[in-house]
């Protein structure tokens, strides 16, 4: 539909703007973005943006609201940006498959093990998901020092 094209164009424009400012920023909080652009259009662009900030960027923290189907896109970006130490994925309902993706990426020796903080505030992960994440984050060699969920 026409709206899908507009949503994608808006997401690309937003990523471009963030990229222009990112060299001066340590933290970005775009957790209220869903009011402006649907989260499904935003997630893949966010993942590419995070990956592009490796190296010369001072960016260490991102907090965003993404659609559950885009969590893996974001985690792929995080895995390529070792300078990013804090990730917040907020305001989403993550089914067990999405929690499994998180567990696969954040545990010891995993692609996103460099994260020190994982914030899932206002995201629903369920009792099973909470138990899975807690087990992985308490494991030996995991760098996480803080994890939040509500």
């Amino acid at each position: 539909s026409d709206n899908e094209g507009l949503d994608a164009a808006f997401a690309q424009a937003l990523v471009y703007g963030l990229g222009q400012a990112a060299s001066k920023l340590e933290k970005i909080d775009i957790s209220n973005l869903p009011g402006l652009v649907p989260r499904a259009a935003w997630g893949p662009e966010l993942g590419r943006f995070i990956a592009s900030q490796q190296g010369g960027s001072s960016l260490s923290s991102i907090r965003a609201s993404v659609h559950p189907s885009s969590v893996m896109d974001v985690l792929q970006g995080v895995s390529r940006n070792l300078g990013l130490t804090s990730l917040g994925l907020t305001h989403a309902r993550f089914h067990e498959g999405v929690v499994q993706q998180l567990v696969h990426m954040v545990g010891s020796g995993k692609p996103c093990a460099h994260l020190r903080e994982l914030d899932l505030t206002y995201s629903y992960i369920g009792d099973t998901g909470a138990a899975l994440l807690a087990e992985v984050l308490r494991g030996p060699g995991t760098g996480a020092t803080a994890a939040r969920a509500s």
Side-chain angles (χ1 to χ4, degrees), residues 72-129:
M72 204 58 194
D73 293 314
V74 172
L75 292 173
Q76 296 272 339
V78 171
S79 72
R80 293 182 183 95
N81 185 337
L82 301 181
L84 192 70
T85 58
S86 177
L87 176 65
L89 299 173
T90 65
H91 300 90
R93 185 172 188 84
F94 297 138
H95 56 78
E96 194 170 326
V98 173
V99 175
Q100 289 285 351
Q101 290 175 339
L102 281 167
V103 166
H104 175 73
M105 296 293 281
V106 301
S108 176
K110 302 294 182 178
C112 298
H114 60 280
L115 287 174
R116 294 279 187 236
E117 180 180 28
L118 179 61
D119 182 357
L120 301 174
T121 305
Y122 304 116
S123 291
Y124 177 79
I125 59 173
D127 293 338
T128 304

Side-chain angles (χ1 to χ4, degrees), residues 1 3 7 10 13 18 23 64 95 100 103-104 119 130-131 138 140 145:
S1 79
N3 282 347
D7 294 341
F10 182 82
L18 286 173
S23 64
H95 56 78
Q100 289 285 351
V103 166
H104 175 73
D119 182 357
R138 285 188 203 129
T145 57

Side-chain angles (χ1 to χ4, degrees), residues 4-52:
E4 288 176 10
L6 289 173
D7 294 341
F10 182 82
Q12 290 171 347
L14 188 58
V15 164
Y16 176 78
L18 286 173
Q20 297 301 305
S23 64
K24 299 173 183 81
L25 301 174
E26 288 182 22
K27 297 179 180 184
I28 294 176
D29 185 341
I30 43 179
S31 56
N32 290 322
L33 187 63
L36 300 174
V37 63
R39 294 177 300 162
W42 169 243
E45 290 296 327
L46 180 60
R48 285 189 282 279
F49 168 74
I50 293 169
S52 74

